[in-house]
Amino acid sequence: MKTVDLIGHGGNEVVVVGERPMPERGAGQVLVRMHAATLNRVDLYMRDSGAGITHTLPQTMGLDGAGVIEAMDEGEPGLHIGQKVLVYPAVTCGVCEFCQSGEEVLCTRMSLLGEHRDGTLSEYIRVPARNLVPMPDSWTFEEAAALGVNHLTAWRMLVSRARLQAGESVLIFGIGGGVSLAGLQLAKAMGARVFVTSTQQDKLDRALALGADGVIHSREQDVVQEVMRLTGKRGVDVVFENVGQAVWDSALRSAVRGGRIVTCGATTGDQPGADLRRVFIRQLQILGSTLGNLEELKALTRFCEQQDLRPLIEKTYALDDIHAALDRLASGQQFGKLAVRIQG
């Protein structure tokens, strides 16, 4: 079977499209014929460094994906051969205190597809039956694949962590990337007012077309001043942040007293100034978040189907064009998800 494999670290030359043996399905596992996956920032991290992530090379890349069940044990509830499914990317132990409480995203032995174990950029994968969620019938495989990481991350940030309510306001940094776009789509569908930032005017224009209530050109405008102007000097209820050090001061100063700052990334650095006086005087809540639980993915899928909210796919690449897809992601110019068609 054809796969996209990581054979080293340090640039595109360590990513190869090749052939590997079909995975052998064990008891409790499901064999899925993959149709599509999407790229995530961690794919670049794995290609360029992989530092701090325990893995063995060669390793098949890809965190999220969607396909059709090819083989499975009899009697798996809610699943059947030929069913279209999307993949939950975290394989968890099921027995630690966090798994037992339904917070498996905190599992002490969690392994992620495409990071710690072979991933979804493969014609076939095997995963535990519990890692599969039926996908909406009318969706494309690319749209369904996109839910598993970026939209799930944004859902947990907004719903489970920040507990966003209709009528509240949200500031989203760096619109155009997958998590930030998912945050815009979800927050608007939840009835929030959403303001977004970018250094590129075309991305701000497209965000307005998607329903953003206000945009801030962070290279030409002072983010905090614009937030105060847009909110009548109040500040926003929720700051949605996945950029890190470069925007952290603006994030703290843009929140209303008692506001919530939820963060899931640090692409520009992870050691910002803390400004602890602002944190305790204004009683700000700083919330860390990453990925989400299986039940959150199921709830997200239902919500998106009910709202007819579909992930925005910028472009779909063939599996053989993986280097062009990774280069596009690395450029930071994309607006929406970059999908990879694995099989027709």
Side-chain angles (χ1 to χ4, degrees):
M1 65 173 184
K2 186 178 285 190
T3 60
V4 174
D5 288 336
L6 183 69
I7 60 172
H9 301 292
N12 266 353
E13 68 276 4
V14 303
V15 177
V16 299
V17 179
E19 293 285 337
R20 295 184 69 174
M22 282 279 290
E24 296 184 6
R25 186 183 69 84
Q29 295 180 326
V30 176
L31 183 68
V32 181
R33 184 173 187 261
M34 298 300 294
H35 284 254
T38 72
L39 297 184
N40 297 279
R41 295 296 304 183
V42 73
D43 295 314
L44 295 178
Y45 184 76
M46 293 298 294
R47 181 196 69 175
D48 298 338
S49 165
I53 297 176
T54 302
H55 58 289
T56 301
L57 299 177
Q59 177 174 280
T60 302
M61 301 177 70
L63 272 77
D64 56 33
V68 175
I69 293 178
E70 187 85 0
M72 56 178 284
D73 295 340
E74 292 185 7
E76 287 289 356
L79 299 176
H80 59 82
I81 291 176
Q83 185 175 20
K84 295 179 179 180
V85 290
L86 62 98
V87 179
Y88 176 61
V91 179
T92 56
C93 73
V95 297
C96 71
E97 62 176 295
F98 304 107
C99 287
Q100 290 293 303
S101 67
E103 281 278 41
E104 67 264 32
V105 76
L106 301 177
C107 176
T108 57
R109 285 177 281 175
M110 178 176 67
S111 62
L112 291 170
L113 303 180
E115 291 190 40
H116 310 99
R117 58 197 296 150
D118 286 338
T120 56
L121 285 169
S122 174
E123 289 184 315
Y124 292 89
I125 66 168
R126 60 177 179 187
V127 291
R130 73 178 304 275
N131 280 70
L132 299 176
V133 175
M135 61 176 265
D137 287 334
S138 63
W139 285 31
T140 67
F141 287 107
E142 291 82 0
E143 290 169 336
L147 286 184
V149 174
N150 285 171
H151 277 69
L152 176 57
T153 298
W155 177 266
R156 181 172 175 85
M157 290 173 74
L158 292 172
V159 176
S160 304
R161 303 295 284 146
R163 300 191 180 279
L164 180 66
Q165 301 297 311
E168 289 190 316
S169 54
V170 183
L171 171 65
I172 298 178
F173 283 93
I175 201 66
V179 174
S180 294
L181 269 177
L184 169 60
Q185 289 183 297
L186 291 170
K188 286 302 300 179
M190 294 173 195
R193 295 178 67 216
V194 183
F195 312 116
V196 304
T197 80
S198 177
T199 60
Q200 300 175 45
Q201 187 60 49
D202 64 319
K203 291 187 176 183
L204 296 175
D205 293 340
R206 296 184 70 176
L208 284 171
L210 288 173
D213 297 280
V215 298
I216 303 169
H217 195 301
S218 54
R219 186 169 288 158
E220 299 178 357
Q221 297 173 294
D222 183 286
V223 171
V224 179
Q225 288 181 5
E226 284 301 301
V227 167
M228 294 305 158
R229 182 184 66 81
L230 290 165
T231 61
K233 299 183 179 180
R234 177 182 180 273
V236 295
D237 298 291
V238 174
V239 176
F240 182 104
E241 197 283 303
N242 62 3
V243 177
Q245 190 166 326
V247 304
W248 189 249
D249 182 64
S250 296
L252 290 179
R253 294 192 294 124
S254 294
V256 70
R257 290 174 179 269
R260 294 96 77 195
I261 300 162
V262 59
T263 178
C264 74
T267 56
T268 63
D270 60 2
Q271 298 294 320
D275 197 359
L276 291 179
R277 287 190 182 90
R278 178 173 292 273
V279 172
F280 65 71
I281 289 173
R282 292 178 172 262
Q283 300 194 43
L284 301 178
Q285 302 175 57
I286 298 176
L287 306 163
S289 190
T290 189
L291 200 60
N293 297 317
L294 178 62
E295 289 304 314
E296 290 170 327
L297 179 56
K298 293 177 180 178
L300 164 67
T301 304
R302 292 192 298 269
F303 180 85
C304 288
E305 189 169 21
Q306 291 164 359
Q307 298 287 328
D308 194 25
L309 187 161
R310 304 187 184 210
L312 182 64
I313 307 296
E314 183 193 75
K315 185 175 180 179
T316 299
Y317 294 81
L319 196 67
D320 289 333
D321 294 329
I322 186 62
H323 293 119
L326 288 168
D327 286 344
R328 177 63 176 172
L329 182 62
S331 76
Q333 299 300 307
Q334 80 281 358
F335 192 90
K337 293 292 288 179
L338 301 176
V340 178
R341 174 63 61 88
I342 301 170
Q343 300 183 74

